[in-house]
Amino acid sequence: MAQRAVWLISHEPRTALCGTVRFSRGWPGDSGCLRYPTVEKRARVFNGASYVSIPEDGPFLKALLFELRLLDDDKDFVESRDSCSRINKTSIYGLPIGGEELWPVVAFLKSGMIYACVPLVEQTLSPRPPLISISGISQGFELLFGIQDFLYSGQKNDTELSIKLSQLPDLLLQACPFGTILDANLQNSLDNIHFASVTQPQKQPAWKAGTYKGKPQVSISITEKVKSMQYDKQDIADTWQVVGTVTCKCDLEGIMPNVTISLSLPTNGSPLQDVLVHPCVTSLDSAILTSSSIDAMDDSAFSGPYKFPFTPPLESFNLCYYTSQVPVPPILGFYQVKEEEIQLRITVNLKLHESVKNNFEFCEAHIPFYNRGPVTHLEYKVSFGQLEVFREKSLLVWIIGQKFPKSMEISLSGTVTFGARSHEKQPFDPICIGGTAYLKLHFRILDYTLTGCYADQHSVQVFASGKPKISAHRKLISSDYYIWNSKAPAPVTYG
């Protein structure tokens, strides 16, 4: 249950290498890269003939970016990586390096930083053992999530990030000596650099590598994303969907603290369906699991409260996912494009549904014109907000702002003239040919969900030492929210 090596790599698109190794940890090799010598000796013994040594930073960086498809020039299909038989759902990879394959490599990209480690496998690697039998993988995730939380908790700029990266070597000496994880919460090691392992009368679970020490707090965040395809056609039905994610971060002392969070709906709220929960959830009402979007909605649908008892991991995690069949999309739209000689005449009408909170963090409508030249002339009339023109990109951005007017309806009309098309610079789209065109909405509403789902802070039950501070937040975000030209054939789209 140890780690052979750890890397932090910043993803830097449009640079020579597309990434930079910001941190690595282990035994001093020829490259100056750090590795754990005692763990490497154990790996040689356990893996036998299937042993593959830890590479230098340069080859590892190139192999990992290739496997994650993060190289700028990596657009071609590669059979060994992209075939259907290699669909990866685990964030665990095998990297071809120097004619051999380094496996297992735990890696994921978050906020522009790639977190990676190589767990020790205490058996031969040929044939590959099942992932569930490798306890070092779960601890690897625990360590990487702990590093992620440490780097970005309170971090506001690159200078603070660099300072925290410089602290990692000393912190890992305390939290992960000789590659063995004692405490994945690095803030504990920073607060008490003389951290010492405490005898724990309760059995430590394999998936939880350490314990938290500090002020108890529980943070709950509900994020709903709404997707929509609107055509304004009698023969094609408009579609929309809401997908929700409940994210939790529980800083609680003790080996196995227990928490119960309840999600509630208002009287007219839309029931949650297709609920998927994190493995740490200990029990669940069967009515929650059996509610499916495939079944027709009726009055007998389970509408909560939705209770989730669980034993939280140290890192931030997604407690559950859900979908919901809301009766109407938040913004109804009409978009029409007519070609008149060398001009396009556009008409846009948007209406905010009366049930939706009229208080946006931002709200914009992007109107792209593909397969045409740059915008050379524009005449328009807008009833609300302001219009920005990106001529070279052939793009109009209608900045609606933070509120719709009292009428809840706004409109935009005008004519657009284009110059000669340059194939290298102008945007191209194989779908938007002829009159096929769309408008895409971008918006975010804080302290609001379309289903009405919320976490009642007073109903959160915590069974741990100390009274925790409980905070709950929610927001609605647009995702793939399209309004298509009603005068053109509906495009073939894939979800």
Side-chain angles (χ1 to χ4, degrees):
M1 295 190 294
Q3 305 302 310
R4 296 173 58 188
V6 179
W7 292 269
L8 298 183
I9 301 169
S10 60
H11 179 221
E12 300 168 357
R14 295 178 294 280
T15 60
L17 299 177
C18 295
T20 302
V21 176
R22 302 292 297 272
F23 175 83
S24 58
R25 180 70 182 95
W27 166 260
D30 296 335
S31 66
C33 169
L34 296 175
R35 307 185 184 103
Y36 291 107
T38 55
V39 183
E40 281 303 288
K41 290 181 180 179
R42 292 165 60 192
R44 288 190 184 93
V45 173
F46 284 123
N47 301 159
S50 59
Y51 169 78
V52 177
S53 62
I54 297 294
E56 298 179 1
D57 285 352
F60 180 84
L61 171 64
K62 184 176 181 180
L64 183 61
L65 292 178
F66 172 80
E67 187 67 24
L68 297 178
R69 292 188 65 90
L70 295 178
L71 295 173
D72 288 343
D73 58 352
D74 185 20
K75 298 179 181 178
D76 297 330
F77 176 83
V78 179
E79 177 72 24
S80 62
R81 180 196 61 191
D82 302 324
S83 68
C84 292
S85 61
R86 286 293 304 276
I87 295 176
N88 193 310
K89 299 181 179 180
T90 60
S91 297
I92 299 170
Y93 304 90
L95 303 186
I97 298 176
E100 298 179 302
E101 186 178 48
L102 181 65
W103 183 90
V105 178
V106 177
F108 59 87
L109 174 66
K110 188 73 173 181
S111 301
M113 186 76 76
I114 302 172
Y115 301 80
C117 68
V118 179
L120 172 66
V121 181
E122 298 181 343
Q123 55 187 300
T124 181
L125 299 177
S126 181
R128 284 187 181 179
L131 296 181
I132 197 171
S133 67
I134 306 173
S135 57
I137 289 179
S138 61
Q139 292 204 351
F141 276 111
E142 194 85 19
L143 176 62
L144 296 179
F145 284 133
I147 294 175
Q148 175 193 327
D149 285 341
F150 169 73
L151 291 181
Y152 289 98
S153 60
Q155 182 259 329
K156 299 178 181 178
N157 52 50
D158 291 338
T159 301
E160 293 184 18
L161 177 62
S162 299
I163 293 174
K164 289 193 173 185
L165 285 170
S166 68
Q167 295 172 335
L168 277 181
D170 290 336
L171 294 179
L172 287 182
L173 283 176
Q174 304 295 326
C176 191
F178 304 106
T180 301
I181 304 172
L182 297 179
D183 189 352
N185 190 327
L186 301 188
Q187 192 63 43
N188 289 350
S189 298
L190 185 63
D191 294 340
N192 182 13
I193 200 66
H194 302 293
F195 172 82
S197 179
V198 179
T199 303
Q200 298 163 341
Q202 190 176 1
K203 185 178 179 181
Q204 185 85 358
W207 53 267
K208 193 169 186 179
T211 57
Y212 172 81
K213 292 185 182 298
K215 293 182 179 179
Q217 53 187 355
V218 175
S219 176
I220 309 164
S221 176
I222 303 176
T223 301
E224 287 189 352
K225 294 184 178 181
V226 56
K227 301 180 180 182
S228 182
M229 288 282 184
Q230 300 181 32
Y231 307 100
D232 194 47
K233 293 178 178 290
Q234 293 183 350
D235 56 336
I236 303 177
D238 295 344
T239 62
W240 57 91
Q241 182 187 36
V242 173
V243 178
T245 304
V246 181
T247 304
C248 296
K249 180 70 167 70
C250 300
D251 295 328
L252 301 170
E253 292 189 348
I255 299 174
M256 295 284 283
N258 292 309
V259 181
T260 298
I261 290 177
S262 296
L263 302 181
S264 302
L265 297 173
T267 304
N268 59 344
S270 301
L272 310 186
Q273 300 173 316
D274 306 322
V275 177
L276 297 175
V277 298
H278 190 275
C280 71
V281 175
T282 55
S283 63
L284 206 61
D285 191 319
S286 60
I288 298 177
L289 291 175
T290 55
S291 180
S292 171
S293 58
I294 299 176
D295 303 326
M297 288 288 291
D298 55 45
D299 295 336
S300 62
F302 183 73
S303 57
Y306 303 84
K307 292 189 176 182
F308 300 89
F310 59 94
T311 300
L314 292 176
E315 71 278 0
S316 176
F317 69 101
N318 294 328
L319 176 65
C320 71
Y321 303 90
Y322 62 83
T323 66
S324 184
Q325 300 180 43
V326 295
V328 292
I331 298 177
L332 291 169
F334 168 82
Y335 180 41
Q336 189 176 91
V337 180
K338 292 182 180 180
E339 193 147 8
E340 299 178 352
E341 297 180 352
I342 61 172
Q343 294 180 331
L344 287 183
R345 180 174 297 277
I346 63 171
T347 303
V348 182
N349 296 320
L350 298 177
K351 180 178 181 181
L352 179 68
H353 193 268
E354 59 185 10
S355 64
V356 178
K357 180 180 179 180
N358 189 13
N359 190 0
F360 295 80
E361 185 178 13
F362 65 87
C363 184
E364 298 177 352
H366 289 204
I367 309 173
F369 299 99
Y370 291 102
N371 312 319
R372 300 179 185 274
V375 176
T376 58
H377 184 69
L378 172 67
E379 294 183 4
Y380 69 92
K381 180 180 179 182
V382 62
S383 68
F384 192 79
Q386 61 187 42
L387 191 67
E388 292 188 358
V389 185
F390 297 86
R391 298 182 183 275
E392 291 300 321
K393 295 182 179 180
S394 302
L395 173 68
L396 304 182
V397 177
W398 183 8
I399 301 176
I400 299 167
Q402 296 180 323
K403 283 182 178 292
F404 273 61
K406 290 184 178 180
S407 65
M408 300 295 190
E409 297 184 27
I410 57 178
S411 62
L412 164 68
S413 60
T415 57
V416 188
T417 306
F418 301 91
R421 179 183 171 190
S422 171
H423 291 277
E424 295 181 357
K425 295 183 179 180
Q426 301 312 127
F428 170 78
D429 190 296
I431 294 178
C432 295
I433 298 174
T436 303
Y438 66 80
L439 172 154
K440 186 176 182 181
L441 283 173
H442 301 262
F443 59 83
R444 180 184 295 151
I445 307 177
L446 301 181
D447 194 28
Y448 175 79
T449 53
L450 202 56
T451 61
C453 180
Y454 66 95
D456 186 357
Q457 297 174 242
H458 302 290
S459 67
V460 176
Q461 298 177 331
V462 178
F463 303 94
S465 59
K467 184 177 180 180
K469 177 184 177 182
I470 299 174
S471 60
H473 310 277
R474 56 180 184 163
K475 59 187 174 184
L476 175 69
I477 303 175
S478 63
S479 173
D480 298 332
Y481 204 105
Y482 294 96
I483 300 170
W484 292 89
N485 178 17
S486 63
K487 286 294 184 180
V492 177
T493 56
Y494 300 91

